[in-house]
């Protein structure tokens, strides 16, 4: 698995997302098995959040990483309404308990809310000094939000929506992050609902590559420097396909086909999020 630098260490370019995990008890064993398979395949970065299943996803992750914690780079996120000076440490303790660990490798603000960024960052720094988290970052933040942070280098990542259908970040946000050596963590990299993966351009490139449409979408995002993806999968075949996508390289001609179907942005767009 290819790796990129994040903070003081390195992480795989393909991690595992957990949105919608922990919502259906009947799926719990399959979700745990999928995450464990992903770890074995090198997708050792696992992204979750207190929002996902209202803590249910963190509990699934906690069970999945039992006996494997030292191999996993663990990412979780705090709700905006918990992102206050008092709320952050309380939320973090709940997440730590559900995850069954004493430290989260990367703790993110899920999106901006009512509390000033400076207050949230202060709380993050206190958690880092206390050894509860190793690094902190943000999610769903645009250029002006990152500039507001002041010390941009202290922010380990920005997790944003990015796929061929949603490439507005390429106009200014992605170049800004790349200029500041800040990895971008792409969520929903294969879109939602499957419509992206049925697009004729995606299907054609997949045919040329002898690959699956989802792998093409992941490889498309990974063509960018300093970008990693966090697709979610429960089916074992899907997990294996995601891991294999890290080695897929799209040709200039194939990228042109995708540009024709999904044109790059020519102006600033409002940051999209789901």
């Amino acid at each position: 698995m290819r790796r990129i630098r994040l903070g003081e260490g390195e992480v795989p370019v393909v991690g595992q997302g957990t949105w919608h995990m922990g919502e259906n008890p009947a799926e719990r064993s399959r979700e745990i098995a999928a995450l464990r398979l992903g770890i074995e395949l090198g997708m050792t970065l696992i992204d979750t959040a207190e929002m996902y299943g209202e803590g249910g996803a963190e509990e699934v992750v906690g069970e999945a990483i039992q006996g494997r914690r030292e191999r996993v780079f663990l990412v979780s996120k705090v709700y905006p309404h918990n992102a206050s000076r008092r709320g952050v440490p309380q939320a973090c303790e709940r997440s730590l308990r559900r995850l069954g660990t004493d430290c989260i490798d990367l703790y993110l603000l899920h999106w901006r809310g009512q509390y000033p960024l400076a207050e949230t960052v202060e709380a993050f720094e206190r958690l880092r000094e206390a050894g509860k988290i190793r690094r902190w970052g943000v999610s769903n933040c645009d250029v002006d939000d990152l500039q507001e942070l002041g010390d941009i280098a202290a922010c380990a990542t920005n997790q944003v929506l990015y796929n061929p259908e949603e490439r507005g970040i390429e106009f200014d946000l992605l170049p800004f992050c790349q200029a500041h050596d800040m990895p971008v963590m792409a969520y929903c990299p294969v879109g939602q609902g499957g419509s992206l993966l049925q697009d004729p351009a995606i299907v054609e490139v997949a045919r040329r590559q002898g690959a699956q449409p989802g792998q093409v979408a992941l490889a498309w995002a990974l063509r960018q420097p300093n970008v990693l993806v966090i697709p979610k999968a429960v089916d074992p075949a899907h997990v294996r396909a995601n891991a294999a996508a890290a080695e897929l390289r799209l040709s200039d001609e194939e990228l042109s086909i995708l540009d024709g179907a999904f044109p790059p942005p020519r102006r600033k767009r409002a940051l999209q999020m789901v």
Side-chain angles (χ1 to χ4, degrees):
M1 178 68 67
R2 286 193 291 131
R3 302 175 74 82
I4 65 172
R5 189 161 188 82
L6 195 157
E8 291 77 32
E10 292 185 336
V11 296
V13 294
V14 182
Q16 302 188 79
T18 62
W19 190 22
H20 295 310
M21 285 190 181
E23 296 178 359
N24 183 355
E27 288 289 295
R28 188 181 184 95
S29 61
R30 292 185 69 234
E31 292 167 350
I32 291 169
L35 290 173
R36 288 178 174 173
L37 173 61
I39 293 170
E40 296 305 316
L41 294 172
M43 296 187 291
T44 52
L45 183 148
I46 298 179
D47 175 81
T48 190
E50 65 172 340
M51 185 191 82
Y52 301 165
E54 291 300 318
E58 289 181 324
E59 292 175 350
V60 168
V61 172
E63 189 167 346
I65 66 175
Q66 282 183 12
R68 300 165 175 80
R69 176 65 184 97
E70 71 285 351
R71 300 171 58 186
V72 172
F73 187 93
L74 196 55
V75 184
S76 193
K77 300 183 281 292
V78 61
Y79 263 130
H81 62 254
N82 288 332
S84 65
R85 195 171 286 106
R86 293 182 58 187
V88 166
Q90 294 171 351
C92 184
E93 288 295 341
R94 292 191 294 269
S95 290
L96 289 170
R97 184 170 60 252
R98 289 188 290 260
L99 292 164
T101 188
D102 58 2
C103 182
I104 295 171
D105 296 298
L106 179 60
Y107 200 39
L108 310 180
L109 171 64
H110 209 149
W111 67 90
R112 290 200 68 169
Q114 61 180 311
Y115 297 106
L117 276 179
E119 181 174 342
T120 304
V121 169
E122 178 188 336
F124 281 165
E125 284 293 344
R126 289 184 178 179
L127 286 176
R128 188 182 60 80
E129 292 166 359
K132 300 291 185 177
I133 65 173
R134 291 192 172 91
R135 292 296 300 271
W136 60 265
V138 294
S139 180
N140 297 302
C141 282
D142 210 338
V143 173
D144 55 346
D145 301 307
L146 297 178
Q147 291 173 328
E148 190 178 327
L149 290 172
D151 184 8
I152 297 174
C155 180
T157 192
N158 187 14
Q159 185 181 117
V160 292
L161 176 66
Y162 185 50
N163 60 53
E165 291 179 313
E166 298 289 353
R167 55 189 299 185
I169 67 168
E170 291 178 3
F171 185 80
D172 59 349
L173 178 58
L174 182 57
F176 180 89
C177 291
Q178 290 170 333
H180 287 85
D181 200 26
M182 180 189 296
V184 168
M185 197 175 294
Y187 72 79
C188 294
V190 297
Q192 291 184 287
S195 61
L196 171 64
L197 304 186
Q198 296 168 12
D199 184 90
I202 295 281
V203 172
E204 170 59 18
V205 173
R207 184 192 66 77
R208 293 181 179 216
Q209 284 279 346
Q212 298 175 17
Q215 292 178 305
V216 170
L218 295 179
W220 177 88
L222 294 176
R223 82 198 188 287
Q224 289 281 1
N226 232 15
V227 170
L228 60 140
V229 294
I230 47 171
K232 176 242 184 178
V234 176
D235 179 79
H238 190 182
V239 175
R240 294 182 184 279
N242 288 346
E247 303 309 317
L248 200 64
R249 299 292 192 279
L250 303 182
S251 69
D252 290 342
E253 183 180 357
E254 290 164 344
L255 290 172
S256 293
I257 291 172
L258 296 175
D259 280 347
F262 309 101
R266 296 177 180 270
R267 58 178 175 79
K268 172 71 176 176
R269 298 178 184 173
L271 184 66
Q272 300 297 301
M273 60 179 285
V274 295

